[in-house]
Amino acid sequence: MEKYDIIVVGGSVNGAQAALSAAKQGRSVAVIEEHPTVGMPEHCSGLFSYWGLQILDSMPPDSIIFNKEIYGSRIVAPNAKVLTVKKAEPHAIVADRAAFDRFVMDMAIQRGVDLYQPFRE
């Protein structure tokens, strides 16, 4: 293996975003992903805030967005108390989580990040 400034273990959206951010700062980066396909198996939902996506410059293409107009949410605590959040403008999107992971990893690779998948079929 080559010498890298940073090695990221895990190629899901968090690892891919960390690798992308480091590559944007001129670091040489490798990502090691245990699964043969980035984004699989899915580990959590595809709900993302506009604010976070804008800060990270990672707005996905429309082709993987299921819903661009999330105006609020209801959060239910274990004791059954409910917190309702409502906004006048959309503040989140719902996207295909596995496709989003691959989208961010593809951006990282385009920035020079090397992806290693030792168990790829």
Side-chain angles (χ1 to χ4, degrees):
M1 183 178 277
E2 299 178 33
K3 183 177 179 180
Y4 293 96
D5 296 322
I6 298 170
I7 296 176
V8 177
V9 178
S12 69
V13 70
N14 294 327
Q17 190 65 59
L20 175 59
S21 295
K24 285 180 177 180
Q25 294 177 11
R27 306 288 185 185
S28 61
V29 184
V31 175
I32 302 171
E33 169 57 40
E34 71 173 318
H35 297 102
T37 302
V38 170
M40 298 302 289
E42 293 180 79
H43 294 290
C44 64
S45 73
L47 180 66
F48 303 98
S49 75
Y50 276 115
W51 179 77
L53 292 170
Q54 289 169 343
I55 285 177
L56 296 171
D57 193 26
S58 295
M59 185 62 72
D62 286 346
S63 61
I64 67 171
I65 296 175
F66 298 136
N67 188 340
K68 284 181 134 176
E69 298 185 6
I70 306 297
Y71 291 87
S73 60
R74 288 182 45 205
I75 303 163
V76 182
N79 65 0
K81 288 191 178 190
V82 177
L83 170 65
T84 302
V85 177
K86 291 183 182 178
K87 301 270 184 163
E89 299 290 324
H91 66 103
I93 67 166
V94 177
D96 178 330
R97 175 55 198 267
F100 183 73
D101 286 11
R102 290 188 295 275
F103 164 73
V104 177
M105 183 59 74
D106 287 345
M107 287 195 307
I109 290 168
Q110 290 172 6
R111 281 288 192 150
V113 170
D114 290 330
L115 173 63
Y116 292 93
Q117 293 174 281
F119 302 110
R120 188 170 185 146
E121 297 170 352

